[in-house]
Amino acid sequence: MAAMSCTLYPTSYKTYPYVKTRVSISCSSQSQSNVKVIINGAAKEIGRAAVLAVTRARGMEVAGAVDTRFVGQDIGQLCDMEEPLEIPVINDLTMVLGSISQSKATGVVIDFTDPSTVYDNVKQAMAFGMKSVVYVPSIEADTITALSALCEKATTGCLVAPTLSIGSILLQQAAIQAAFHYSNVEIVESRENARDFPSPDAIQIANNLSNIGQIYNKEDLSTDVLARGQVLGEDGVRVHSLVLPGLPSSTTVYFSGPGEIYTLKHDITDVQSLMPGLILAIRKVVRLKNLVYGLEKFL
């Protein structure tokens, strides 16, 4: 039995500073047999969480585990599952893709690897007729542009997700609504380390708020005082970043007007919070025929 779902997703604001999103998403019919999921970066914390989430989800199954660590070990045992999955960790993506493609089943590759390898990974998956979900921080704009062209040429779907957190996306959407009513806004974020500051979440929020015609924080827009934080975008949105071990990964957006402060906050305390978004991404990418940037297109 097959099902088809086609939906129009118009975009009223820019979701990425360098890549134009499409006004529609094409789709195709898919069999209701289990989607075969290959997890690239399976030995990472998020990879192990993904193995458990996919195993528990309906309509999909883990079909391959790729990583440079723990090669040869059963991915189920590596994830402390009660029973082994009888799927060894392999450090060769092409080998896993070739094995899965022989089954003629619908396949999706989840990429948790590195910005430098994303393009080649997606290209390899595409060569074997598989879609990709990419969750890799700090991907360069040129890489996104190249992937978009590659997917369009091959008429193959790929979902690049700056965040898999549904809560983070809801915060971004609420911030856009608030920005129409407040002219002062500051972003405060905390992470355990400083490798990704400003974070993709902060950059995404600033980009969204910079496309609605507001100029923020006019009173000190041109100040060069470092303690005032970094200005993101062209419209005065400032971000302040905290690096404090023990704090949750947190993003807070402060809006203010005469006599009031409006605060939006989102905390991530465990990688499990990303799994509902990942499962949603897998279900949606199998119908795509082009690159889509941002999980928010499906909420």
Side-chain angles (χ1 to χ4, degrees):
M1 182 176 181
M4 176 174 285
S5 175
C6 299
T7 310
L8 180 67
Y9 295 99
T11 305
S12 59
Y13 57 88
K14 185 166 60 177
T15 58
Y16 192 80
Y18 303 99
V19 179
K20 293 181 180 179
T21 56
R22 292 184 168 216
V23 296
S24 64
I25 297 174
S26 53
C27 48
S28 58
S29 61
Q30 296 292 334
S31 169
Q32 293 187 7
S33 60
N34 280 0
V35 175
K36 308 294 185 182
V37 179
I38 299 170
I39 300 174
N40 195 1
K44 296 182 178 181
E45 180 185 12
I46 189 171
R48 299 184 195 190
V51 169
L52 296 173
V54 171
T55 301
R56 295 166 182 162
R58 287 174 26 177
M60 62 186 71
E61 61 184 270
V62 177
V66 181
D67 209 296
T68 57
R69 299 181 300 153
F70 304 105
V71 175
Q73 292 193 33
D74 184 89
I75 190 60
Q77 293 178 329
L78 197 60
C79 297
D80 296 323
M81 299 178 68
E82 292 184 0
E83 299 290 338
L85 289 178
E86 298 183 354
I87 298 174
V89 178
I90 298 176
N91 64 354
D92 188 333
L93 176 60
T94 303
M95 182 183 299
V96 179
L97 290 170
S99 175
I100 303 304
S101 67
Q102 293 178 5
S103 69
K104 306 298 183 181
T106 300
V108 174
V109 179
I110 311 301
D111 197 325
F112 295 133
T113 58
D114 183 86
S116 63
T117 63
V118 165
Y119 181 86
D120 288 339
N121 292 342
V122 173
K123 188 175 181 179
Q124 284 188 65
M126 195 176 296
F128 286 92
M130 299 188 192
K131 313 293 179 72
S132 295
V133 174
V134 178
Y135 177 66
V136 177
S138 303
I139 301 178
E140 295 292 334
D142 290 346
T143 302
I144 302 295
T145 303
L147 282 174
S148 182
L150 183 67
C151 291
E152 185 170 357
K153 183 178 180 180
T155 320
T156 300
C158 176
L159 174 59
V160 179
T163 182
L164 289 172
S165 167
I166 293 176
S168 177
I169 294 171
L170 294 176
L171 181 146
Q172 293 176 22
Q173 294 175 343
I176 293 170
Q177 295 299 316
F180 286 100
H181 306 284
Y182 297 97
S183 58
N184 294 284
V185 58
E186 309 260 341
I187 302 170
V188 179
E189 59 179 352
S190 66
R191 301 290 188 273
E192 288 191 354
N193 57 69
R195 64 186 176 189
D196 293 321
F197 278 145
S199 71
D201 287 347
I203 294 172
Q204 185 77 29
I205 293 169
N207 288 334
N208 291 345
L209 300 188
S210 295
N211 288 286
I212 61 176
Q214 280 269 38
I215 300 296
Y216 307 98
N217 311 314
K218 295 179 182 178
E219 291 78 5
D220 65 345
L221 184 62
S222 60
T223 182
D224 58 359
V225 177
L226 295 179
R228 284 293 291 115
Q230 179 180 348
V231 176
L232 297 180
E234 300 178 355
D235 297 337
V237 179
R238 293 185 179 274
V239 60
H240 310 264
S241 302
L242 309 177
V243 182
L244 293 172
L247 280 182
S249 177
S250 177
T251 302
T252 306
V253 186
Y254 293 94
F255 294 91
S256 72
E260 67 172 335
I261 296 175
Y262 178 55
T263 305
L264 299 169
K265 184 176 183 181
H266 179 248
D267 294 338
I268 292 179
T269 59
D270 192 278
V271 72
Q272 292 295 331
S273 65
L274 307 180
M275 294 304 105
L278 176 64
I279 298 303
L280 175 63
I282 295 169
R283 297 193 192 285
K284 296 299 183 180
V285 77
V286 295
R287 296 182 174 90
L288 296 181
K289 287 186 164 184
N290 54 275
L291 183 141
V292 172
Y293 185 88
L295 186 62
E296 65 271 13
K297 307 300 189 309
F298 304 106
L299 295 183

